[in-house]
Amino acid sequence: MNTAAPVVIVGAGPAGATAALSLAEAGISSVLLDDNGAAGGQVWRTGAADLGPPLAYTDARGDELRRDLKRHGDLIDHRTGHEVVGLFPDLRLWVLEGGETVTSLHPKAIVVATGALEVFAPVPGWTRPGVYGLGGLQALMKTSRVVPDGPVVLGGAGPLLRLVAAQLASFGAEIAAVVDAAPWPSSGQVLRLASQPGLLAKGLAFEWGLLRRGIPVHRGSAIVEVAGDEEADSVLVAPVDENWRPVDGPRRRLEARVVGLGYGVRSNVELTRLAGCEHTFSASRGGWHATRNRDMETTVENLFLAGDGGGIGGVEVALAEGVIAAASVSERLGQGDRLKTKAAKARGRMVDLVRFQDALADWSGVRPGILAGSTEDTIICRCEDVTRGEIAAAVAAGYTDIGPVKMNTRAGMGLCQGRTCTPALQAIMASETGRPLAEAGLPTSRAPLRPVPLKALAQLPLDEAVE
Amino acid sequence: MNASQPYDAAIIGGGVIGCATALNLARGGMRVVLFESDGLCRAASGRNAGTLTMLYTRATLIPYAIRGREMWRDAKEWLGRDAGFHHRHGLELAFSEEVAEELAVQHRLRSEAGAAIEMIGGNRAREIEPALSEDIVGAAYSEIDGYAKSYGIGILFHAALRDAGVTVHDGTPVLGVEPGPGGHVVRWAAGEAAARLVVMTSNVWIGKMAAWFGVHFPIAIRVNQGTISERIRPLFKSILRVPNELSLKQFEDGTVLMGGGRGEHWVEDADQGDVQQDINIINSKMAGAAECAQRVVPALREGRVVRTWTGYEGFTPDNQPLIGPMPGVEGVYVAACLRSGFTIGPFAGQLLADQLLGREPEMPVFASEFDPARVVGMEPYDTEGPSQVA
Ligand SMILES: Cc1cc2nc3c(=O)[nH]c(=O)nc-3n(C[C@H](O)[C@H](O)[C@H](O)COP(=O)(O)OP(=O)(O)OC[C@H]3O[C@@H](n4cnc5c(N)ncnc54)[C@H](O)[C@@H]3O)c2cc1C
Ligand SMILES: Cc1cc2nc3c(=O)[nH]c(=O)nc-3n(C[C@H](O)[C@H](O)[C@H](O)COP(=O)(O)OP(=O)(O)OC[C@H]3O[C@@H](n4cnc5c(N)ncnc54)[C@H](O)[C@@H]3O)c2cc1C
């Protein structure tokens, strides 16, 4: 194993894999780490071979990417099932292998390409069996073609909502309704979305897939409760205001055995936080993300960031940023500017893509109203069973920043380390303090990001750790 | 109430000692204001391991720790809320006869000070705590040990202080204290308040505050650390410790807390923690804690670590607290750098309040060995010296 590779790339989605492939093109070897069994990331996630019929609305680029990685196996050391659980300002990494052993790497340059996380809005009953994240439902289809039984109601916003609905429907799932917090896009928004005709056409295809099957879409509405004895058996749908806060108005109860929830995606900032990068909040990019210069370098030297992890941009942006990051790394390592032209082209493509993304966020980017749409007793942090009431009590006791609230309530301190509840926690704090969402702050992240066996930690090379 | 009317007392520093002092002064009839830079009990008082122990408390402080532990047990009575107290047995463990002998010597002093600590052999230790490793040859045993919930204490104090009528200015770093009509003027960014008495309960920040009065306290700042596991099936009940390395306990929810870790970690300035704390030492202490924990309870091998965090403790040159008047300044008092400060904190606050209210404290509080004046001019605590890990 080549542990001395000068470049480590974290995440084998479109951004990370493209960075590795571009570097290989320039003759530079890299280690590509990803926690999944195969490359592709979220968008091109795949399972074992012979899954049967392809998933609707997917393209072949994922398979191409996996073929290319294999072809460049001499230069790209792609390690599946490797999760980075530590990244420190001196570019040292901790890598958890198969959930069992931890090793330490110390490359010259790192490209973080860890993509996005789904945004959940806790509502009463959201922890019942039968409730899934949209991405979770999609991942089941992508990796094993599992399609849920019984009436399905999907709620949330953004492209993923209708994509997952259309994909499930194409596999014969019984979609009872889609509940979309966003209204129809305005004509101005449609005009701006049309700046990328290909992407807009994709979106319209999802929409058409629903319409054709007669699946009702309730717009400007949200699932505000999941009811059931133990398991989910129905949802309550209510209208929301322009901030997506549930408001008075006609409510309807819909039968649902399976409920999919998802309010879009946000950058996964765990590693960049840990490394000490500067972060910024931008509503049009899915909230918090690390800042970078035009070469994709963060405020930590030799730490580059590409793809959705640096602000939500979607697949096409991720691909372009992967190229740019690779070009910057190549130059930084003194390996020449062979990727310069390619990077310049990628930069050109990005201008329009970013405009599209802005329009998309303007229409369907998550609004805090629904994230804080919980009641007093709603569990917000499901790892530690912390209710909204407990969070409100902490705010009332003078803890108005996210760190102290976490410390006092244990919200976000459990197994998932806040991956699920952080956006809701921030929105609830903003709502309780009356401050803008951005001022609720961003939690610190700490190594290990994922639970690590004591015996593995104990084996970490400590010689290098103590002066 | 007249806003410009001076307070009877201003407390600066809202850790467990400051909160308890403010609460008791207010209940004793004073008009009290409490200042805290951050949130109440957000520093050491909310990050500590919550152990209420005799085994690691300095002998001079044992009588205070016994009372402090009782106060956490009876928190409903004085705090009005349950503080998650649990009675547990305590065991300090020796992996060699040599260490067992050292423990015997150290604990003799504690026993003389009133702690019921007994030296036992390895087998007896395993009878008390069956999960213990076969490699343990002896232990110091205290029937009296336990823990209280350390996180979330600030919320409890906040409610109690409000009920007692204390004005709480949290998120308010005090910038200075100057002489003023009727006593002192406490100044912060957005205002100032007059107070007859000022009590500084700012732990590691006490050096910075003493400088306001031109007094130099040599304070060393140690970074202590906690590491927590995921929920694990119930493995052990006692509070375990390994001298100079680790404290170990399993909470009812199954999580295991590892306090400390091998090696010492010091910073110069607690306000520069982000840059002065050394991530390599933090990582190494976490790894060391994991290693030691499974040496003590082998079944922990399969458990997984979720998180590690740090907090500050102030060390005076002689490792005794600073409790008493600020040297040369009338009406300004100090209570800081108290070892086992979570355990003793509530009781320290009560004693200090009684003293300032002119009542007879239950135990000496302005004692000569605690007198802040003694450390002026002393060499700082030897951070290179033998370890004092809790
Ligand atoms: C649940 C979900 C489903 C999505 N589905 C689609 C879709 O179907 N179509 C679409 O166009 N867009 C989808 N998106 C949006 C998606 O984020 C982008 O389109 C695209 O995948 C971004 O590419 P990327 O390379 O930046 O990140 P990703 O594709 O997310 O790739 C990041 C990779 O890094 C890995 N990783 C993360 N952290 C670590 C770590 N610490 N150690 C090791 N590996 C790590 C991840 O497992 C992942 O494989 C989805 C997003 C989410 C969150
Ligand atoms: C990791 C760790 C584990 C520990 N484990 C245990 C244990 O198991 N058992 C035990 O008994 N003890 C333990 N301790 C020690 C214990 O936590 C402390 O002794 C105790 O909390 C000290 O309380 P305090 O009120 O003196 O100080 P602190 O809690 O440090 O409070 C001081 C406060 O002063 C405030 N302040 C400072 N400057 C200003 C200013 N200018 N204006 C306003 N406010 C200011 C600070 O913000 C801070 O909140 C541990 C400590 C740590 C760090």
Side-chain angles (χ1 to χ4, degrees):
Chain A
M1 223 189 254
N2 173 19
T3 44
V7 187
V8 167
I9 298 165
V10 190
T18 301
L21 288 168
S22 305
L23 284 171
E25 232 171 83
I28 300 168
S29 61
S30 61
V31 173
L32 176 61
L33 303 168
D34 193 284
D35 52 340
N36 295 289
Q42 293 293 2
V43 52
W44 297 328
R45 183 181 288 283
T46 187
D50 301 328
L51 279 172
L55 191 58
Y57 314 98
T58 46
D59 56 43
R61 287 185 292 175
D63 290 329
E64 255 168 57
L65 181 116
R66 286 182 279 273
R67 262 199 309 276
D68 289 346
L69 285 175
K70 213 168 264 163
R71 199 154 46 77
H72 288 287
D74 53 334
L75 287 171
I76 302 174
D77 179 1
H78 176 203
R79 302 181 191 167
T80 56
H82 282 58
E83 183 157 33
V84 175
V85 295
L87 170 56
F88 306 104
D90 64 354
L91 299 197
R92 200 188 309 273
L93 295 138
W94 283 356
V95 188
L96 179 64
E97 197 181 331
E100 282 293 314
T101 51
V102 182
T103 48
S104 170
L105 295 177
H106 200 174
K108 289 203 178 67
I110 295 177
V111 180
V112 171
T114 48
L117 299 173
E118 263 189 289
V119 175
F120 296 97
V123 292
W126 75 297
T127 54
R128 284 182 196 289
V131 182
Y132 301 86
L134 290 175
L137 284 176
Q138 192 195 39
L140 282 173
M141 278 190 288
K142 284 180 176 174
T143 56
S144 47
R145 301 287 185 267
V146 168
V147 178
D149 256 353
V152 181
V153 176
L154 303 178
L160 196 60
L161 174 64
R162 37 199 42 79
L163 168 61
V164 174
Q167 287 175 326
L168 281 169
S170 77
F171 275 130
E174 180 195 341
I175 310 280
V178 172
V179 184
D180 188 349
W184 271 107
S186 67
S187 50
Q189 285 165 337
V190 173
L191 214 64
R192 284 159 66 206
L193 289 169
S195 68
Q196 291 286 316
L199 292 176
L200 179 60
K202 261 193 191 170
L204 290 173
F206 309 154
E207 212 74 48
W208 169 241
L210 300 180
L211 194 66
R212 187 160 54 92
R213 293 184 175 86
I215 296 170
V217 180
H218 304 293
R219 288 172 214 277
S221 308
I223 294 175
V224 293
E225 184 190 307
V226 181
D229 250 355
E230 168 85 25
E231 294 180 18
D233 61 27
S234 72
V235 297
L236 188 64
V237 175
V240 295
D241 65 12
E242 73 283 352
N243 201 23
W244 296 6
R245 202 170 53 87
V247 289
D248 291 339
R251 300 191 164 212
R252 64 185 111 208
R253 193 164 284 284
L254 303 174
E255 195 195 331
R257 291 271 313 279
V258 172
V259 181
L261 294 174
Y263 286 84
V265 298
R266 62 180 176 112
S267 293
N268 178 354
V269 294
E270 288 177 315
L271 289 178
T272 46
R273 281 290 281 167
L274 202 51
C277 302
E278 177 190 291
H279 285 68
T280 180
F281 183 92
S282 95
S284 64
R285 288 285 168 280
W288 287 100
H289 58 83
T291 57
R292 324 171 261 189
N293 61 20
R294 69 190 293 277
D295 298 327
M296 302 294 138
E297 189 171 14
T298 65
T299 51
V300 171
E301 203 182 359
N302 296 329
L303 184 62
F304 298 83
L305 174 60
D308 270 2
I312 301 306
V315 198
E316 310 302 327
V317 170
L319 291 167
E321 290 184 350
V323 172
I324 300 168
S328 310
V329 167
S330 166
E331 265 188 56
R332 183 61 53 85
L333 295 178
Q335 303 276 329
D337 52 6
R338 249 182 295 175
L339 297 170
K340 206 166 189 167
T341 331
K342 218 179 150 185
K345 273 196 198 139
R347 279 205 174 91
R349 275 200 306 282
M350 279 193 29
V351 177
D352 288 341
L353 288 167
V354 164
R355 203 169 298 151
F356 174 83
Q357 194 59 36
D358 283 341
L360 196 60
D362 191 39
W363 164 54
S364 67
V366 67
R367 313 281 198 273
I370 188 63
L371 297 174
S374 41
T375 58
E376 183 86 358
D377 301 330
T378 310
I379 289 189
I380 305 301
C381 166
R382 51 196 306 176
C383 299
E384 295 288 309
D385 288 340
V386 183
T387 62
R388 186 204 175 113
E390 291 171 73
I391 293 163
V395 173
Y399 303 99
T400 50
D401 293 326
I402 196 157
V405 167
K406 285 179 62 179
M407 184 183 101
N408 276 289
T409 61
R410 312 316 276 175
M413 306 274 266
L415 264 196
C416 89
Q417 293 284 288
R419 277 163 84 98
T420 309
C421 69
T422 298
L425 188 58
Q426 290 165 326
I428 290 168
M429 291 187 50
S431 147
E432 296 289 332
T433 57
R435 292 190 306 188
L437 190 56
E439 282 177 28
L442 189 57
T444 355
S445 74
R446 293 190 190 271
L449 291 176
R450 256 4 113 237
V452 168
L454 267 78
K455 59 172 186 238
L457 262 188
Q459 282 157 8
L460 267 175
L462 294 185
D463 46 327
E464 60 182 21
V466 189
E467 304 136 300
Chain B
M1 210 180 278
N2 183 352
S4 61
Q5 182 191 336
Y7 286 97
D8 295 314
I11 316 296
I12 309 176
V16 64
I17 298 179
C19 288
T21 305
L23 189 61
N24 284 291
L25 287 176
R27 287 187 180 154
M30 283 194 179
R31 247 189 105 218
V32 180
V33 59
L34 170 64
F35 294 94
E36 166 54 49
S37 311
D38 194 336
L40 298 184
C41 298
R42 160 89 171 118
S45 297
R47 296 159 188 253
N48 66 82
T51 317
L52 308 174
T53 188
M54 306 302 122
L55 286 170
Y56 222 88
T57 294
R58 296 179 60 75
T60 44
L61 298 175
I62 287 284
Y64 300 86
I66 292 173
R67 286 288 292 119
R69 179 179 173 283
E70 285 168 2
M71 286 186 72
W72 283 119
R73 183 193 64 198
D74 305 334
K76 266 217 173 90
E77 289 166 20
W78 61 272
L79 191 53
R81 284 113 193 128
D82 182 63
F85 171 85
H86 286 267
H87 175 196
R88 291 286 183 266
H89 295 178
L91 289 163
E92 185 163 36
L93 306 166
F95 283 92
S96 71
E97 293 298 346
E98 199 186 326
V99 172
E101 273 161 35
E102 278 171 28
L103 287 182
V105 174
Q106 289 170 19
H107 287 299
R108 197 164 307 133
L109 286 172
R110 293 190 175 96
S111 298
E112 281 162 20
I117 298 173
E118 175 192 348
M119 291 306 300
I120 59 176
N123 288 336
R124 172 93 177 92
R126 277 179 291 275
E127 267 169 46
I128 295 167
E129 189 47 74
L132 285 180
S133 154
E134 287 297 322
D135 297 337
I136 286 157
V137 301
Y141 167 61
S142 167
E143 201 271 328
I144 302 231
D145 209 306
Y147 60 85
K149 180 174 101 160
S150 50
Y151 75 87
I153 287 298
I155 294 181
L156 305 188
F157 269 120
H158 197 274
L161 290 165
R162 188 197 48 212
D163 294 349
V166 174
T167 305
V168 175
H169 287 294
D170 44 17
T172 310
V174 170
L175 302 175
V177 173
E178 284 122 32
H184 309 275
V185 174
V186 176
R187 195 166 43 75
W188 66 98
E192 52 183 45
R196 190 164 58 80
L197 302 177
V198 174
V199 186
M200 302 190 159
T201 46
S202 56
N203 198 6
V204 302
W205 287 273
I206 196 66
K208 288 196 173 182
M209 290 196 187
W212 298 340
F213 305 95
V215 173
H216 176 70
F217 287 152
I219 305 295
I221 302 174
R222 195 180 71 179
V223 185
N224 198 348
Q225 196 165 332
T227 300
I228 190 104
S229 80
E230 66 183 334
R231 296 176 189 197
I232 302 174
R233 72 191 156 88
L235 289 173
F236 62 102
K237 286 202 92 165
S238 317
I239 313 282
L240 307 173
R241 52 188 68 237
V242 176
N244 298 329
E245 265 195 85
L246 191 72
S247 77
L248 195 62
K249 69 170 80 65
Q250 184 168 30
F251 295 109
E252 309 90 276
D253 69 358
T255 56
V256 173
L257 176 59
M258 293 155 261
R262 204 175 319 143
E264 294 274 327
H265 188 182
W266 302 87
V267 293
E268 293 286 325
D269 181 352
D271 294 321
Q272 302 291 318
D274 286 353
V275 277
Q276 292 194 355
Q277 286 192 29
D278 184 336
I279 186 68
N280 288 330
I281 301 182
I282 292 171
N283 286 340
S284 141
K285 284 180 77 101
M286 170 169 54
E291 186 277 322
C292 185
Q294 56 189 303
R295 199 151 27 90
V296 173
V297 176
L300 278 174
R301 280 177 58 77
E302 307 305 323
R304 296 187 301 172
V305 163
V306 172
R307 199 176 171 83
T308 195
W309 67 91
T310 57
Y312 295 121
E313 290 183 286
F315 277 63
T316 58
D318 57 7
N319 216 350
Q320 298 283 9
L322 305 176
I323 308 179
M326 174 68 77
V329 191
E330 191 89 17
V332 175
Y333 300 91
V334 177
C337 304
L338 176 62
R339 297 268 72 68
S340 300
F342 179 72
T343 309
I344 301 173
F347 188 52
Q350 180 188 310
L351 293 177
L352 188 57
D354 282 340
Q355 178 81 38
L356 297 176
L357 287 163
R359 301 169 175 169
E360 179 69 27
E362 187 184 322
M363 284 180 202
V365 60
F366 283 3
S368 60
E369 63 265 43
F370 305 154
D371 185 359
R374 78 184 188 283
V375 302
V376 175
M378 275 166 104
E379 283 295 307
Y381 180 84
D382 179 15
T383 59
E384 310 283 310
S387 174
Q388 294 273 356
V389 178

